[in-house]
Amino acid sequence: MSDLIKLKPSKDNIFYTVHHPVDDTLLLNDDGSLMTIELLSPHSDQFKHNQLKQLAKQVELAASTPEYDLDVEAITAASCEVLAEATVSWTITFDGEKPDCTSHKAHEIYSEIHWLRYQIEAVIAHSMVSL
């Protein structure tokens, strides 16, 4: 007999190794280390808080601006913001540098490198169904 509570994910963070967008090989930094990204789990309280904060921002914009239109660009920006705030740490190379992991820098990278954002979104979605 099963109990749903036993199927509740318990991991707070997700550790992801970045893959090449075409051939799926693991990406390495210049020093030979793996490019990795640590993210908050979508089951964590902080991730859920960040999602709700982003949703509240969109609702407030829609309510206060009659001509506000939630378009693809707005949805993409909101998605990047949630992912940026969910990014805990990383060891990546971007534009020849190993940038500090900040929400601002993560947002910049996820906005510019679409395939990386898609990989991160897929990892988060997969973590919601794996225990």
Side-chain angles (χ1 to χ4, degrees):
M1 183 165 150
S2 292
D3 184 338
L4 291 178
I5 196 69
K6 293 179 182 176
L7 300 175
K8 181 181 175 187
S10 60
K11 296 189 296 186
D12 284 335
N13 289 0
I14 301 165
F15 297 90
Y16 179 66
T17 303
V18 182
H19 291 74
H20 190 283
V22 176
D23 64 18
D24 204 38
T25 58
L26 297 176
L27 290 182
L28 302 176
N29 295 297
D30 289 339
D31 64 4
S33 63
L34 291 170
M35 286 197 195
T36 60
I37 299 175
E38 179 184 2
L39 303 151
L40 294 172
S41 165
H43 307 288
S44 70
D45 290 339
Q46 186 62 46
F47 188 97
K48 289 185 244 181
H49 171 78
N50 293 343
Q51 276 189 316
L52 290 174
K53 183 171 70 172
Q54 199 54 236
L55 181 59
K57 187 188 293 185
Q58 296 304 319
V59 168
E60 184 179 322
L61 273 171
S64 65
T65 313
E67 69 278 0
Y68 179 72
D69 184 25
L70 185 61
D71 59 10
V72 174
E73 288 180 14
I75 292 169
T76 299
S79 172
C80 285
E81 190 65 32
V82 169
L83 294 179
E85 291 185 14
T87 303
V88 175
S89 67
W90 60 28
T91 57
I92 62 169
T93 302
F94 180 73
D95 198 19
E97 299 178 358
K98 285 190 163 188
D100 290 338
C101 184
T102 65
S103 180
H104 177 76
K105 191 64 172 180
H107 190 278
E108 175 190 339
I109 291 171
Y110 298 150
S111 296
E112 189 169 336
I113 311 298
H114 296 244
W115 60 263
L116 181 59
R117 186 179 81 243
Y118 301 148
Q119 285 184 18
I120 300 293
E121 288 171 343
V123 166
I124 288 173
H126 179 73
S127 76
M128 295 179 81
V129 295
S130 49
L131 303 175

